[in-house]
Amino acid sequence: MIATHKFRNVLWHLIFYADYSNRYIATLTRCSHPVVSTIRSKLAKLQLTWIAIKQMSNSELKSVFYPKLTIRKSSKVPPDYAEVLRQKELPRKKQKSLAIQYIEYRIQYGDRAYKQTIFYGLIRAFLKKNNATMTQFYRPGEVMFIDYLGSKAKYKKSGKVIFLPVFVACLGYSKKLFSLATKDMKSESWVQGIVKAFEYFGGVPEVIQFDNAKAMVTTAKLIALLNENARAVSEHYGNICDTSRVGTPKDNANAENTAKIVTTQIIAPMSQDITFFSEDEVNAYLFTEVERLNHQPFQKHDYSRQDLFEEKEKQALMLLPAKPFTPFIHAKSCHVPATYLVEHNEHRYSVPYTLIGEKVHIRITLEEIIVVSEDKEVARHSISDEKGGVSIEQTHMKPSHLAEQRKSMPIFMAWAKEIGQDAEHLIEKQYAKTSNPNSRVIGKRCTALQKLEAKVGSEIFLSACRYVLEREAEDLFSPTDIELVIRAKAYEYNDVPQDLLHANVRGSQYFEGDRHEH
């Protein structure tokens, strides 16, 4: 039987141009005149109209004109296509290979089994027919796909070649691209790429889609358990982090396609033709080339990724927060001790005293330590390199502890300054006995002086201070002695003549022993 399209062409000519000769119709339809003759005789017997023929499918037309033509049936047993489909639905690591399936098929059916080549061909044809793909359509601003390339960028430093993993991102609607070379593929580098992509696009999508990378996913499943960095970046920007199903790269097809484009059109040429000498140079080149690709029209279209982005997607993105997210280099959990101080690298940092005994999460960046309780930030400190030191926020302290901490030299000096210069000198004399400005012992003495001043008034208190300072009476600097001076009103009696208080006058002590004049 001739090809179906030729067969229909012959029938059309025979119905509408019945007076044409068989040879002429054969010439017009490019087939042999005996075939035309056979079809003419069959058509005359069947008395079919062109409308009836048009309504028939190819198989129906074939059965009407050639009813005796049958397909030769094979005695071989066909493959178990249902089992083939079941194997394809299993995770990749648990699937039986096609070779194993063929061996089991041969063992089961022996001589009735197809040979390997035919078996593989039947399986491929079946899978191709049943491999329907559902195209996903994304709304503007809905999703950003991210991934790392299989290839790496590189630069030279001190004669050594340094390789850099390359992060890529792609918006779901406009397909606008972004790329960044990072030092590694740890979670902080993934987050660094996400943050830089948001800044490049000028906004935040509703969803970040990525595969089940160990750097971002703690446990891979339908709703994956994300690690600390992934959850925190999602909270900071107010969007959702979603992962592909395990073993289904098609779920992240946009990222895979982006990786292919960036690899073939940027990474491969730059690795072969250009030498870089720093990470910044690599990223500057990547930025330029990505910009070129974004402004380059799509194949068979007169618009580009940038055109689609500017037209609909740019305004659909959520606004960037005022402060970009800083990725963590380390995270841990602990219970808050009675001191309400948590430790990192031999330095202790305060958290609110109300969290004593509670479990908190500690997130550590390059510059800060962030303490989170019940998904809410409760403390933030700058990282300190002081070993054995303490960083305390006064707002974290228990009121009684805060009152105790305020018994320090700066606090008492500020109080004394408001009273007078003699009071300042007296406080200085108190702290001259210690090197610790937060000395509890001296703090108690200064507190007693404050109470004394409040009791007698500033004028009397200053007079007493002046009395002991003028005489440099070290043994009268204690609060008890100052109070004694006030009770005795010693400051009202000037028992040291002011005109004798100079260096040229010798006192009685000069004449003690053998030093008197003869």
Side-chain angles (χ1 to χ4, degrees), residues 171 173-178 200-202 287 290-298 302-315:
L171 291 175
Y173 176 77
S174 65
K175 304 298 186 288
K176 186 173 181 179
L177 311 176
F178 171 77
Y200 177 70
F201 295 137
F287 177 83
V290 165
E291 278 284 279
R292 175 183 63 80
L293 288 178
N294 284 331
H295 286 82
Q296 180 178 293
F298 288 106
D302 59 354
Y303 55 87
S304 65
R305 294 175 172 84
Q306 186 66 27
D307 294 333
L308 287 177
F309 177 77
E310 293 288 346
E311 182 181 355
K312 290 187 178 181
E313 191 144 37
K314 184 176 182 179
Q315 55 269 32

Side-chain angles (χ1 to χ4, degrees), residues 187-188 229 326-331 344 363-368:
S187 64
E188 52 264 33
N229 258 326
T326 304
F328 315 132
I329 58 174
H330 181 60
H344 172 64
R363 298 168 175 173
I364 298 151
T365 71
L366 289 173
E367 299 178 350
E368 294 182 309

Side-chain angles (χ1 to χ4, degrees), residues 329-358:
I329 58 174
H330 181 60
K332 61 182 180 180
S333 298
C334 70
H335 286 86
V336 178
T339 60
Y340 50 93
L341 298 172
V342 295
E343 185 172 338
H344 172 64
N345 282 352
E346 300 181 32
H347 190 93
R348 292 183 294 171
Y349 303 87
S350 67
V351 298
Y353 76 94
T354 53
L355 295 175
I356 292 174
E358 299 293 329

Side-chain angles (χ1 to χ4, degrees), residues 211-213 217-226 243-247:
D211 59 18
N212 289 278
V217 175
T218 302
T219 304
K221 51 183 180 179
L222 183 61
I223 305 297
L225 298 181
L226 306 177
T243 59
S244 307
R245 292 170 296 171
V246 178

Side-chain angles (χ1 to χ4, degrees), residues 83-134:
E83 176 62 17
V84 172
L85 284 179
R86 193 184 73 81
Q87 290 293 328
K88 293 294 290 183
E89 291 173 356
L90 294 175
R92 187 179 298 274
K93 292 182 179 180
K94 296 183 179 180
Q95 293 179 13
K96 291 181 181 178
S97 68
L98 201 55
I100 295 296
Q101 292 183 60
Y102 176 69
I103 291 171
E104 293 177 348
Y105 166 76
R106 282 287 302 274
I107 292 173
Q108 183 175 2
Y109 296 106
D111 293 340
R112 297 173 60 204
Y114 285 108
K115 295 298 182 183
Q116 186 175 9
T117 303
I118 298 176
F119 179 86
Y120 280 17
L122 291 171
I123 296 295
R124 280 195 296 269
F126 172 78
L127 291 176
K128 186 175 181 180
K129 185 176 180 180
N130 287 273
N131 193 25
T133 301
M134 180 180 177

